[in-house]
Amino acid sequence: MTEARETTHFGEQTVALEDKQGLVNAVFHGVADRYDLMNDLMSGGVHRLWKDAMVARLAPPKTGSRPYRVLDMAGGTGDIAERIINASAGYAEVTVSDINSDMLRVGAERAKKWRFGGQANFVEANAEELPFEDESFDAYTIAFGIRNVPRIEKALGEAFRVLKRGGRFLCLEFSQVDLPGLDRVYDTFSDRVIPPMGKLVTGDSQPYQYLVESIRKFPTPAAFSAMIAAAGFRRVTHTAFSGNIAALHGAWKL
Ligand SMILES: C[S@@+](CC[C@H](N)C(=O)[O-])C[C@H]1O[C@@H](n2cnc3c(N)ncnc32)[C@H](O)[C@@H]1O
């Protein structure tokens, strides 16, 4: 008798849960060198404002009696880490962790040019199984990453485990547009502009087709908030950005 295999979504496709990560990894290995450029083109630079707002919400301290340690999970090319370190005037220590060595390679190369690049370190790891000790970080950030993780509940559980009591969880992710009118414009842009633009810039439209479809499959803010609470977090909030194109979820380990 064959056991029923657990399935999940990879964009529009239904795939075996254990196959999703390999497919996601292929997407980001393929686009790593053009990833930053594509982010700017696709969002008209607005992703920078959302990321700024996320780090403003974190408000990392600029001084203290002990290090302020942040884990930026699925940190890719280091956009969030650079902002956190700058906002703390070089005080915060940020571990940029990602499952994809190519994204980390681009990030580590970029960090050489940052003002406080020595405050970042880069660690290859799966968000579902972190190689970090319990209660070792003051904050856990994840931007546009959680959507790609096959077992989101596991990643949230690991976020909770590695945070200290009083630690902050912040997750920036695409969401479902809820402004009448904007939703249709956004759908058309997603279907007709993003994949062809991806092909033009990276030579392949498939990763960007995946991006569009993965956004559509991601849980609503209410459902995702419930998942964060189920992982043990308290005071879960969410803030919509740009008509809910993106949403910032925040919570505390109390
Ligand atoms: C859209 S990029 C976001 C990068 C960066 N945080 C940013 O906002 O620009 C998504 C990242 O998630 C990473 N990722 C996907 N699955 C992961 C997993 N299971 N564990 C850790 N990182 C993962 C990918 O390798 C990729 O670098």
Side-chain angles (χ1 to χ4, degrees):
M1 201 175 85
T2 49
E3 259 180 52
R5 291 209 300 171
E6 232 185 306
T7 58
T8 186
H9 297 293
F10 175 70
E12 284 280 273
Q13 303 168 43
T14 301
V15 297
L17 193 57
E18 63 270 27
D19 293 343
K20 173 167 171 168
Q21 191 69 65
L23 294 163
V24 168
N25 294 353
V27 164
F28 288 103
H29 279 304
V31 302
D33 289 299
R34 294 282 168 117
Y35 174 79
D36 294 318
L37 173 65
M38 266 309 282
N39 267 354
D40 278 333
L41 290 176
M42 281 185 313
S43 70
V46 175
H47 76 106
R48 292 169 181 258
L49 305 180
W50 298 333
K51 288 171 177 171
D52 288 346
M54 179 188 204
V55 173
R57 181 73 61 86
L58 180 66
K62 293 189 173 74
T63 56
S65 54
R66 54 173 186 79
Y68 182 75
R69 299 192 63 213
V70 182
L71 175 60
D72 182 41
M73 199 60 225
T77 59
D79 266 8
I80 299 297
E82 182 182 13
R83 282 170 172 76
I84 292 172
I85 296 168
N86 284 343
S88 72
Y91 176 63
E93 297 174 4
V94 183
T95 298
V96 182
S97 187
D98 198 289
I99 201 166
N100 194 303
S101 55
D102 278 323
M103 295 292 280
L104 289 175
R105 168 182 53 77
V106 175
E109 202 49 46
R110 282 180 56 189
K112 290 181 188 159
K113 301 193 191 98
W114 296 349
R115 191 156 157 235
F116 306 107
Q119 292 299 93
N121 64 93
F122 293 80
V123 177
E124 194 176 319
N126 186 341
E128 294 179 1
E129 218 165 324
L130 296 177
F132 307 114
E133 287 182 12
D134 294 359
E135 315 219 329
S136 48
F137 293 96
D138 297 286
Y140 175 109
T141 53
I142 182 164
F144 305 114
I146 198 103
R147 186 185 78 248
N148 300 292
V149 176
R151 299 165 190 85
I152 293 177
E153 292 86 351
K154 264 189 110 176
L156 292 172
E158 281 292 84
F160 190 80
R161 180 183 68 75
V162 300
L163 273 173
K164 296 177 187 171
R165 292 267 155 211
R168 193 84 193 267
F169 170 86
L170 284 176
C171 175
L172 179 63
E173 191 48 272
F174 289 110
S175 196
Q176 273 102 37
V177 176
D178 58 6
L179 270 189
L182 180 63
D183 50 0
R184 259 177 296 141
V185 175
Y186 183 70
D187 268 350
T188 309
F189 179 77
S190 300
D191 290 329
R192 306 245 177 100
V193 179
I194 291 183
M197 192 190 275
K199 182 155 177 71
L200 202 70
V201 177
T202 67
D204 190 1
S205 59
Q206 208 274 333
Y208 292 93
Q209 195 65 50
Y210 161 69
L211 169 82
V212 168
E213 286 151 7
S214 65
I215 293 169
R216 289 184 178 142
K217 294 274 187 286
F218 192 68
T220 60
F224 186 49
S225 295
M227 291 168 80
I228 296 169
F233 288 103
R234 297 286 172 265
R235 295 207 229 147
V236 183
T237 58
H238 92 269
T239 310
F241 293 154
S242 312
N244 217 34
I245 291 177
L248 178 65
H249 283 80
W252 297 86
K253 175 170 173 177
L254 296 177

